[in-house]
Amino acid sequence: MWSEAWAVSAPGKVILHGEHAVVHGKVALAVALNLRTFLRMTLRNDGKVLLQLPNIGARLCWQTSELRPLLVAFPADPADSQQPSPEQVAKLKEFVGTTESAAAHSTAAVAFLYLYLAIASKDRVLPSVGISVWSELPTGAGLGSSAAYSVCLAGALLSACGVIRCPLRDGQSQARWTEDEMSRINSWAFQGEQVIHGNASGVDNAVSTWGGALRYQSGKITPLKKVPTLRILLTNTKIPRSTKVLVAGVKDKLLKFPAIMEPVLSSIDAISQECGSVLEAMADGPSQDHYPVLEELIDINQHHLSVIGVGHPSLDRVCQLTAERGLHSKLTGAGGGGCAITLLRPDTAPSVVGAAIGDLSSCGFECWETDIGAPGILVHSLSSLKAEALEVFSGM
C-alpha cells in the first residue's frame, strides 16, 4: 500500500540519431534525458481526488462520488491495459469541460482521469488521493514531457491500487520495480499517451520507463543492452515548429528526388546503427577514443538533416557557437527550430561549458547541462528528491 514518504520520477527523451529517417523505415536511436518529471502522491481520507500541476498553473479537485458514475464506461477487472476508446475519451472530455484557453489543463486532466479510472476499475474502488506533478521538462519541445507524465501517473496509480508492489523499503532513498512490473507501467503509460496524442508510437513512454537508450524501427522497439551516461548541453531555441509540416516536406523531397534523398536517409540509418554500437562498446569499456567517433557522427548527421530540409538558422547558430568552443551539436527531434544537443566529453572544462552556455543564452536560447542515458522511472523517498522538487512540493 502507498506510503506518504515517497514519490516517483521519470526522465524525458531526446532523439540522438534517426530523426525523419525513422518515418521511412530507418532506425532511430532514442535516449533518456536526465531532466525529469516528479510526482508526489498521498492518500487522503476526505473522499477527494486532488491533481496539482504547478508547471501549467492547474489545481483540479473532484469528489470520488462525482467520479464514480464515470466507471460505467470502464470494464470491471481488466486483464491489463486497454486502448482508450473514443467513447471513453469523449466522456472524460465532456466531464472535464475542455476549453480553448485551458487546453493543456484539460488534456492533462483527461489523461489522469483515464488512468485513474481504468486502473481502479479492477476493484471498482476509487481511492481518495492527492497528486502533485512537477517537471524540469519544457512542454511542447519534443522532449517527451507528456510521456514522463504518463509514466509517473501509471507507476503511482498502479502501486496505489495494489496492482504492483511498492518497491521502496525502509531506509532506501530510491528503488526500481521489477522488469515485469515496469512492463506493466509502460503498457499503461502508452495508453495515457494515446489519450494525449491520439496516436503515439510508444517510443517516448518506453524510454521514460526503461531509461538508457533504445532502437526504434518500423514499430519495433529494442532496448540497447547497456549504455553509458553522457554529458550534454541541451538548448531550446524556443522557435516553434510544426512536426507535421516538416515531415511532409521531407516526403515531398523524397518523391521529387528519390535518387538523391534515399542515400541520405540510408546514411542517417547507418549513423544510428554505428552510434548504437559505439554506445554499447563504451558501456563495456569506456575510452576517450570513442568520443571523436560520436562527435563526427553528430556533425555528419547534422549536415544530412540540413540537406533533407529540417534545419533552421537558429539551429545553425547553435552549431556555430558551440563549434567555436570546440564542441559538436545537432538538432534533436523534428527540427525547424526546437531543440539541439551538444556532446560534452568527461574532461570538457567547466569554463568551456559556462562560456558556451553564455553564448547561447545571449541569443535568447534556454540551456541545460544534463545527461543522456539516464535511468528510467524511479521510486524515491521524499527526502532524497532534488531540492527544486522538494521546494515545489513543500509549497503545496
Side-chain angles (χ1 to χ4, degrees):
M1 183 54 68
W2 193 267
S3 163
E4 287 189 28
W6 56 283
V8 300
S9 76
K13 75 93 178 55
V14 293
I15 301 298
L16 191 53
H17 292 293
E19 295 93 342
H20 290 281
V22 70
V23 177
H24 302 280
K26 311 302 184 185
V27 172
L29 196 61
V31 291
L33 173 69
N34 204 23
L35 294 177
R36 304 181 74 86
T37 293
F38 296 87
L39 180 151
R40 183 192 65 181
M41 182 172 174
T42 55
L43 292 177
R44 302 172 64 96
N45 57 12
D46 57 2
K48 290 181 179 179
V49 176
L50 177 64
L51 177 65
Q52 298 184 92
L53 307 170
N55 291 84
I56 58 174
R59 187 181 188 278
L60 305 165
C61 187
W62 305 277
Q63 293 286 343
T64 54
S65 57
E66 290 180 78
L67 300 177
R68 186 164 300 284
L70 296 172
L71 271 177
V72 174
F74 293 82
D77 196 20
D80 211 332
S81 65
Q82 297 178 358
Q83 184 170 347
S85 70
E87 294 76 19
Q88 288 172 327
V89 175
K91 193 174 184 67
L92 293 177
K93 285 183 176 179
E94 180 183 2
F95 175 80
V96 169
T98 55
T99 64
E100 191 76 24
S101 60
H105 297 199
S106 302
T107 302
V110 169
F112 164 74
L113 287 173
Y114 176 81
L115 291 172
Y116 173 81
L117 293 164
I119 292 170
S121 67
K122 180 178 186 295
D123 295 319
R124 317 308 281 181
V125 174
L126 297 182
S128 177
V129 294
I131 287 182
S132 303
V133 185
W134 172 77
S135 186
E136 298 174 311
L137 293 160
T139 58
L143 300 176
S145 60
S146 68
Y149 174 68
S150 294
V151 168
C152 284
L153 285 176
L157 291 169
L158 286 166
S159 293
C161 292
V163 179
I164 60 178
R165 67 188 178 90
C166 167
L168 195 69
R169 297 293 173 258
D170 289 343
Q172 286 184 306
S173 60
Q174 64 183 41
R176 299 200 74 183
W177 282 276
T178 66
E179 297 286 305
D180 287 345
E181 288 168 333
M182 287 200 294
S183 292
R184 183 164 284 189
I185 290 170
N186 183 54
S187 180
W188 277 106
F190 177 61
Q191 307 314 328
E193 281 281 84
Q194 295 284 80
V195 172
I196 292 169
H197 296 292
N199 183 24
S201 69
V203 172
D204 288 11
N205 53 273
V207 174
S208 192
T209 300
W210 299 104
L214 59 81
R215 293 184 182 93
Y216 177 80
Q217 184 176 26
S218 302
K220 184 179 180 182
I221 298 172
T222 309
L224 273 66
K225 293 178 182 177
K226 291 188 293 184
V227 293
T229 300
L230 302 177
R231 295 172 64 202
I232 64 160
L233 279 184
L234 174 70
T235 301
N236 184 2
T237 67
K238 303 181 184 178
I239 303 296
R241 72 277 185 270
S242 167
T243 300
K244 184 177 180 181
V245 169
L246 290 160
V247 168
V250 174
K251 183 179 180 181
D252 288 345
K253 275 190 172 60
L254 181 59
L255 292 172
K256 190 174 182 180
F257 305 111
I260 297 170
M261 293 289 286
E262 279 287 2
V264 177
L265 296 178
S266 294
S267 182
I268 293 175
D269 179 73
I271 289 169
S272 298
Q273 308 238 32
E274 177 68 16
C275 184
S277 298
V278 172
L279 292 179
E280 290 184 321
M282 290 178 76
D284 288 332
S287 167
Q288 286 295 327
D289 295 339
H290 291 122
Y291 280 90
V293 178
L294 293 178
E295 290 168 346
E296 197 162 3
L297 293 176
I298 283 173
D299 292 341
I300 296 169
N301 200 5
Q302 176 60 23
H303 289 304
H304 284 349
L305 291 164
S306 293
V307 165
I308 66 175
V310 297
H312 189 273
S314 64
L315 295 165
D316 294 339
R317 187 67 175 148
V318 173
C319 294
Q320 176 195 352
L321 290 172
T322 54
E324 289 173 0
R325 303 290 177 182
L327 305 174
H328 301 258
S329 304
K330 66 174 286 292
L331 68 84
T332 181
C339 293
I341 54 173
T342 303
L343 181 65
L344 303 175
R345 296 191 183 198
D347 59 354
T348 301
S351 59
V352 172
V353 177
I357 291 174
D359 294 341
L360 295 165
S361 299
S362 69
C363 296
F365 304 152
E366 190 173 12
C367 300
W368 299 266
E369 182 180 356
T370 185
D371 306 316
I372 54 176
I377 186 170
L378 294 170
V379 188
H380 304 264
S381 65
L382 288 181
S383 61
S384 71
L385 289 178
K386 288 186 176 180
E388 297 91 336
L390 276 174
E391 184 178 351
V392 171
F393 291 150
S394 64
M396 291 181 173

